[in-house]
């Protein structure tokens, strides 16, 4: 009977944790959709630019996850993340106008500041 209760508690906690993970993924997806809408609006992207912007963002989103989940020291991961960001910025610069690219960089800095604020909270 004691093992049955313990099994139930473990199963309940696992299910609760799984729901948290799904909820976090949904929140991240919603945030990403909102960021894409904001980018389209603030950058005044054409339909073709929006498509390219989305594809590049997805591509580097996958790379980001791979780097975060990879083996290695924090220093190595930081270096890879920095290289990935530079490559992404170069791709963005290739199809955005100078004004759009400067606004893009400004948006990146704003996002960076928001992330720092979240870590403090």
């Amino acid at each position: 009977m004691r093992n049955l209760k313990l099994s139930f508690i473990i199963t309940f906690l696992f299910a609760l944790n799984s729901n948290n993970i799904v909820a976090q993924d949904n929140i991240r997806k919603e945030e990403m959709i909102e960021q894409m809408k904001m980018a389209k609006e603030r950058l005044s992207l054409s339909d073709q630019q929006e498509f390219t912007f989305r594809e590049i963002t997805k591509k580097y989103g996958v790379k980001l996850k791979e780097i975060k989940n990879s083996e290695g020291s924090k220093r190595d991961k930081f270096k890879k993340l920095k290289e990935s960001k530079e490559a992404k910025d170069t791709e963005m610069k290739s199809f955005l106008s100078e004004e759009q690219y400067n606004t893009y960089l400004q948006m990146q800095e704003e996002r960076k500041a928001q992330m720092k604020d979240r870590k403090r909270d």
Side-chain angles (χ1 to χ4, degrees):
M1 186 67 156
R2 186 178 199 149
N3 286 339
L4 183 61
K5 286 181 182 180
L6 184 60
S7 295
F8 176 75
I9 291 170
I10 290 172
T11 303
F12 176 75
L13 291 174
F14 180 74
L16 186 63
N17 189 38
S18 296
N19 286 339
N20 261 349
I21 292 171
V22 170
Q24 288 174 350
D25 284 346
N26 287 339
I27 290 170
R28 286 186 186 122
K29 286 179 185 177
E30 288 174 13
E31 286 176 352
M32 186 61 132
I33 290 168
E34 190 61 35
Q35 288 173 9
M36 294 300 282
K37 286 179 185 177
M38 184 176 63
K40 181 178 182 177
E41 185 178 304
R42 284 189 62 189
L43 297 173
S44 302
L45 297 173
S46 68
D47 290 341
Q48 181 59 42
Q49 285 178 315
E50 180 184 6
F51 176 79
T52 305
F53 188 91
R54 283 180 189 271
E55 292 303 307
I56 292 171
T57 301
K58 287 178 189 177
K59 174 182 165 182
Y60 285 96
V62 170
K63 284 187 179 185
L64 175 71
K65 283 183 183 179
E66 290 173 357
I67 293 169
K68 285 185 174 184
N69 295 328
S70 69
E71 298 293 323
S73 68
K74 286 185 179 183
R75 184 177 185 184
D76 289 341
K77 289 181 182 184
F78 180 78
K79 183 180 177 183
K80 288 178 184 177
L81 288 171
K82 186 176 178 182
E83 290 170 356
S84 180
K85 182 192 176 313
E86 290 170 356
K88 179 183 177 185
D89 289 348
T90 300
E91 284 192 50
M92 292 293 190
K93 190 174 187 175
S94 71
F95 75 93
L96 294 174
S97 70
E98 185 176 341
E99 182 181 340
Q100 287 173 318
Y101 184 68
N102 289 333
T103 303
Y104 164 77
L105 292 177
Q106 181 182 0
M107 290 170 57
Q108 294 297 341
E109 288 301 316
E110 291 168 5
R111 178 126 171 88
K112 188 176 178 181
Q114 287 175 349
M115 291 177 73
K116 282 184 180 181
D117 288 343
R118 282 186 187 173
K119 285 184 179 182
R120 287 184 202 154
D121 293 339

